[in-house]
């Protein structure tokens, strides 16, 4: 059985390194980034590009967020609204504020959405090398 695709929101340096590792492991990735160059890098790695974060949230139950900080994560969650459905799993690789992260996890749990704080310790180069 093929692996289900993973939605990636945030395809910058760290996000693209995560995408590369997931693609090498055989996990299909569909991602979105506001920076077209970041999306182009994802496609060059073998992933697919979505036209908006909401497209990713509507299509996939497993979402990886790799964004600049907790405020951006909360903003994207607000932007997604009800398009982020009950039963979804959000894996947040953002280096964020612990209090904001805990509050977001509680908020999402109230909507039936699982949230995992998966802050990455290390650089994009270290992630890329595994």
């Amino acid at each position: 059985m093929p692996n289900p695709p993973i939605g990636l929101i945030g395809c910058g340096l760290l996000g693209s390194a995560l995408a590369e590792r997931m693609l090498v492991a055989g996990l299909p990735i569909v991602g979105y980034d506001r920076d077209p160059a970041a999306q182009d890098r994802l496609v060059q790695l073998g992933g697919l590009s979505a036209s908006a974060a909401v497209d990713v949230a509507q299509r996939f139950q497993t979402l990886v967020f790799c964004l600049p900080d907790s405020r951006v994560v909360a903003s994207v969650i607000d932007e997604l609204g009800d398009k982020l459905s009950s039963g979804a799993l959000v894996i947040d690789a953002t280096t964020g504020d612990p209090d904001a992260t805990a509050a977001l996890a509680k908020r999402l749990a109230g909507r039936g959405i699982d949230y995992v704080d998966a802050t990455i310790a290390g650089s994009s180069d270290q992630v890329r090398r595994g």
Side-chain angles (χ1 to χ4, degrees):
M1 176 193 302
N3 292 315
I6 294 173
L8 174 64
I9 298 176
C11 305
L13 289 176
L14 189 54
S16 66
L18 290 172
E20 186 173 339
R21 298 287 300 165
M22 289 187 272
L23 288 163
V24 166
L27 300 169
I29 302 292
V30 178
Y32 173 74
D33 196 288
R34 291 182 177 163
D35 178 2
Q39 292 217 175
D40 290 345
R41 277 193 306 274
L42 176 64
V43 171
Q44 290 169 0
L45 292 171
L48 299 175
S49 176
S51 60
V54 69
D55 294 334
V56 176
Q58 286 179 304
R59 294 173 55 194
F60 305 106
Q61 284 294 100
T62 302
L63 303 168
V64 176
F65 282 48
C66 195
L67 298 166
D69 59 40
S70 296
R71 288 174 304 170
V72 177
V73 173
S75 174
V76 170
I77 294 291
D78 290 343
E79 177 184 320
L80 297 176
D82 64 356
K83 305 302 184 214
L84 191 56
S85 63
S86 177
L89 169 62
V90 173
I91 301 168
D92 188 3
T94 302
T95 301
D97 173 83
D99 292 333
T101 298
L104 181 60
K106 184 176 180 178
R107 188 172 122 201
L108 291 174
R111 295 176 47 198
I113 299 166
D114 292 323
Y115 177 89
V116 176
D117 178 13
T119 299
I120 303 295
S123 70
S124 58
D125 185 56
Q126 289 171 317
V127 168
R128 191 168 278 108
R129 289 184 284 127

